[in-house]
Amino acid sequence: MMGSMHDTIAVGRLLIATPLLDDPNFRRSVVLLVEHDEHEGTIGVVLNRPTEVPVDQVLPPWAGLVTGPSVVFQGGPVALDSALALARIPGGSGGASGGGPVGWRALDGLPAVARVGLVDLDTPPSLVAAELVQFRVFAGYAGWNSGQLRSEIEEGTWYVVPAVPEDAFIEDPERLWQTALRRQGGDLAFVATFPDDPSLN
């Protein structure tokens, strides 16, 4: 059986942890895919793991731009000492080049997420500040070798669904898992009602 379109691994898709996934790094996580290559593998950012660390402790110049909560999020278990940032720019034409501000790079791929991209944190914030609608900083990322993510999906570890731009900047990240499942409708909306820890019931 061929996987449905729903199982397509692509930049701009969300991975939503299924209730089977109990690895503490990824339990009930929602991951936005930011790079994918059949040979090199896949990189994603966990969207719903806020830390207690204020952005102004680690990246003071950027703190004023952050979409609340104004903390660093844990993007995944890999390279926790490195930061990456996602930002959304206004719809419409972009700058003269149409490509968005200096230091901002659209996620290759889907039009729905076309206004969400990665920000180079070495760029002076003043060059991009005026053009960022939403902005969030992540420490670390999630990575899969070629073929590894596909086999996890086939084992029933992840649902693959389209992202919407709001996902990366949701004000209440604790609710993202349920929110993203619920909007899929059908069986996935039902999964959203699963108790957080079945063993406690």
Side-chain angles (χ1 to χ4, degrees):
M1 178 182 127
M2 296 295 290
S4 69
M5 182 53 205
H6 270 310
D7 298 333
T8 310
I9 300 171
V11 170
R13 295 241 142 186
L14 284 185
L15 302 178
I16 303 179
T18 72
L20 294 174
L21 181 53
D22 55 6
D23 171 340
N25 285 316
F26 292 114
R27 193 171 162 279
R28 290 208 163 208
S29 63
V30 179
V31 179
L32 176 66
L33 297 183
V34 296
E35 287 185 23
H36 175 64
D37 179 298
E38 287 300 333
H39 308 293
E40 303 289 319
T42 307
I43 290 177
V45 180
V46 178
L47 298 179
N48 57 338
R49 290 277 194 277
T51 69
E52 303 285 310
V53 180
V55 172
D56 60 15
Q57 249 179 46
V58 280
L59 291 164
W62 292 96
L65 299 176
V66 173
T67 303
S70 184
V71 294
V72 176
F73 280 61
Q74 183 174 336
V78 183
L80 283 170
D81 54 351
S82 67
L84 62 87
L86 289 170
R88 189 176 175 192
I89 62 171
S93 60
S97 65
V102 174
W104 178 90
R105 180 170 66 82
L107 297 182
D108 302 328
L110 304 188
V113 204
R115 316 311 296 170
V116 175
L118 292 162
V119 175
D120 177 354
L121 290 168
D122 293 330
T123 308
S126 56
L127 291 182
V128 286
E131 294 203 58
L132 302 186
V133 183
Q134 289 170 304
F135 177 80
R136 188 159 275 172
V137 175
F138 300 85
Y141 62 87
W144 292 266
N145 299 329
S146 177
Q148 183 185 2
L149 181 55
R150 163 74 51 219
S151 62
E152 288 185 15
I153 292 167
E154 285 166 1
E155 284 159 16
T157 307
W158 300 101
Y159 304 116
V160 184
V161 303
V164 297
E166 292 71 33
D167 291 333
F169 310 103
I170 189 167
E171 279 178 44
D172 185 359
E174 283 76 13
R175 296 197 56 72
L176 180 58
W177 188 80
Q178 288 168 312
T179 304
L181 283 171
R182 200 168 285 136
R183 73 168 184 255
Q184 308 307 321
D187 294 345
L188 295 192
F190 176 70
V191 172
T193 65
F194 279 36
D196 191 25
D197 185 350
S199 66
L200 293 177
N201 286 331

